[in-house]
Amino acid sequence: MTGQEDDGAGRRLYHYVGPDDLRRLVQAGRAGFRVDSAADFERWAGERPAGELAEPFTFVVGADGVLRLAARRSEHVVCAGGEPVLSAGEMAFTREAGRWAVAEVSNQSTGYCPDGTSWPAVADALRRAGVEAPDGFTHAVVFRRCPACAQLNLVREDDFVCVFCEADLPARWNVDGSRRERP
């Protein structure tokens, strides 16, 4: 991972790249609910009203590999306590045959812009939480920073063209919150 910070195990750490006003919402000791085990997940799910469990939640996988969950309209940077993450997005759960499973999961986080290659960190965190995981993101978002105008883009339908200035976008992930890196 030349030029990228990793967690010491070769996994990319994603730094927050969103607006500073959202970063200021981070409060010490107020990160998302930490799910270290199946018992933690059961306790967390048991405390949620049925209506809340019916919609997706904000999630991050911290640098420690642990899943953190927060209400859907929560900011990823707040859920992460302002720290770098291994992945981030939205996740919905279902209960099947007495077990919890992920119904939907995406890497949709414009605060961290994780690449689709962050899936293994999510799968590991879900396994640790005792939650059945799909084979990958059910909805993968492709993020790229424009090398010409530095704007963040969501690539749709494999159209790697900047929506702001029409420059070509790189094929490889190039969003980095620790510095404005050009591909």
Side-chain angles (χ1 to χ4, degrees), residues 161-178:
V161 174
C162 178
V163 298
F164 302 98
C165 75
E166 298 184 2
D168 288 339
L169 298 172
R172 291 181 39 212
W173 184 89
N174 70 331
V175 182
D176 185 352
S178 64

Side-chain angles (χ1 to χ4, degrees), residues 86-137:
L86 294 172
S87 192
E90 292 186 349
M91 189 178 295
F93 302 97
T94 186
R95 188 118 170 122
E96 298 173 354
R99 283 192 59 144
W100 285 103
V102 170
E104 297 176 9
V105 59
S106 76
N107 62 321
Q108 185 172 329
S109 168
T110 55
Y112 285 100
C113 303
D115 193 42
T117 59
S118 69
W119 173 253
V122 178
D124 290 346
L126 288 168
R127 197 170 11 266
R128 184 178 192 173
V131 177
E132 189 72 28
D135 293 333
F137 289 115

Side-chain angles (χ1 to χ4, degrees), residues 17-160:
V17 296
D20 286 335
D21 61 328
L22 297 180
R23 184 192 315 264
R24 287 191 287 272
L25 297 174
V26 174
Q27 298 176 16
R30 303 283 296 186
F33 185 86
R34 186 181 168 92
V35 183
D36 276 308
S37 66
D40 287 343
F41 187 86
E42 286 289 343
R43 183 167 51 93
W44 174 84
E47 294 171 354
R48 308 274 75 76
E52 188 177 339
L53 280 172
E55 65 177 49
F57 291 87
T58 293
F59 84 87
V60 299
V61 176
D64 57 3
V66 176
L67 179 67
R68 288 188 176 275
L69 297 166
R72 181 180 197 181
R73 287 158 192 81
S74 301
E75 295 298 331
H76 289 96
V77 68
V78 173
C79 187
E83 297 297 319
V85 300
L86 294 172
S87 192
E90 292 186 349
M91 189 178 295
F93 302 97
T94 186
R95 188 118 170 122
E96 298 173 354
R99 283 192 59 144
W100 285 103
V102 170
E104 297 176 9
V105 59
S106 76
N107 62 321
Q108 185 172 329
S109 168
T110 55
Y112 285 100
C113 303
D115 193 42
T117 59
S118 69
W119 173 253
V122 178
D124 290 346
L126 288 168
R127 197 170 11 266
R128 184 178 192 173
V131 177
E132 189 72 28
D135 293 333
F137 289 115
T138 57
H139 176 72
V141 179
V142 177
F143 298 99
R144 295 295 185 272
R145 186 169 303 284
C146 178
C149 70
Q151 291 293 319
L152 181 62
N153 285 258
L154 274 70
V155 175
R156 301 186 194 286
E157 299 176 8
D158 289 329
D159 187 16
F160 285 80

